[in-house]
Amino acid sequence: MLLFCVPLRSGSAIPPSNFLYFNPDSIHNNLSGLKEAMDAFLSASGFSFSFQPFARFHDFDREVRNNASAFIFLPEWYLHQDGNDKRFKPFLLPVRRGGTTYRKVLLVAADSLLTAEKLADTTIAMTPVGQAGLAVLDEAIFKRIGLRGKELNFITTAKDSDAIFALALRQVNAALVSQDNLEHVGSINPRLFKMVKVLAVSNPVPLPVLCYVNGAVSAREVDRMRKVLLAGKDGGPAAHIMDMLKIDTWRIPNAE
């Protein structure tokens, strides 16, 4: 859905009043512009939280471990490692095209003779995932084509477009990217569609989730944040942010 060179804080811990964001598979990659828009939205909505997006997983992970955040927009797989599901509680799920999932596509060069069986001996560019994320990809795509993620050689990129261009320039043998991002990059540069081909399409994988940090923010603030974001689908203050992130509406977890 959510990333690229934006000033990132290092050193001292982020104050508890922070809204952290990490989504390397997002179509939107102007993090400076996103920060400016989000800070304006939060201020106009009466929140004191400062928005901090991250381009690199290790920076995001380090700041999360500082226990200094109140709200976090994060990849769904991140909840399933290091006991994060006990700390972070999802309270809104982004909806795009009527669903809360997206698909990954495995690409090779258009003239490549590579088959799925031969990928274990090649290089594959993709955005970062932890062990939990790799388990998700195993179930969504790798096992189905006879591969295991831990046996593959991944080249990590900050965003999907980097992985696509690395493949187009033959710096890697394959790329695993969001189908939405492939379509988006191809709409800007149609020549790319002639330079790559799809080897496999994943089963649906969850979109990132919006969480609050358990014990760091009051139930009242969580409810207020939920209401102002839900109002964005009707043209409320969050509408511009949702448009930037290609979010059509929000769904409350476990809601029918």
Side-chain angles (χ1 to χ4, degrees), residues 106-108 112 114-125 147 151-155 171-175 199:
L106 185 61
L107 306 173
V108 294
S112 174
L114 279 174
T115 61
E117 296 79 15
K118 297 179 180 178
L119 284 179
D121 299 319
T122 66
T123 52
I124 305 172
L147 298 172
E151 297 174 351
L152 300 175
N153 181 23
F154 296 112
I155 305 299
Q171 296 171 339
V172 294
N173 303 109
L199 197 62

Side-chain angles (χ1 to χ4, degrees), residues 100-115:
T100 57
T101 61
Y102 68 110
R103 292 180 188 267
K104 293 267 198 174
V105 290
L106 185 61
L107 306 173
V108 294
D111 60 354
S112 174
L113 298 179
L114 279 174
T115 61

Side-chain angles (χ1 to χ4, degrees), residues 6-7 9 17-21 31-53 225 237 240-241 244:
V6 55
R9 298 173 60 173
S17 58
N18 260 264
F19 189 135
L20 307 185
Y21 172 95
L31 291 191
S32 296
L34 180 61
K35 174 173 173 54
E36 182 178 353
M38 273 295 295
D39 280 339
F41 156 70
L42 291 168
S43 178
S45 300
F47 293 105
S48 59
F49 305 109
S50 175
F51 184 74
Q52 184 63 44
M225 182 69 76
H240 177 54
I241 300 299
M244 292 177 74

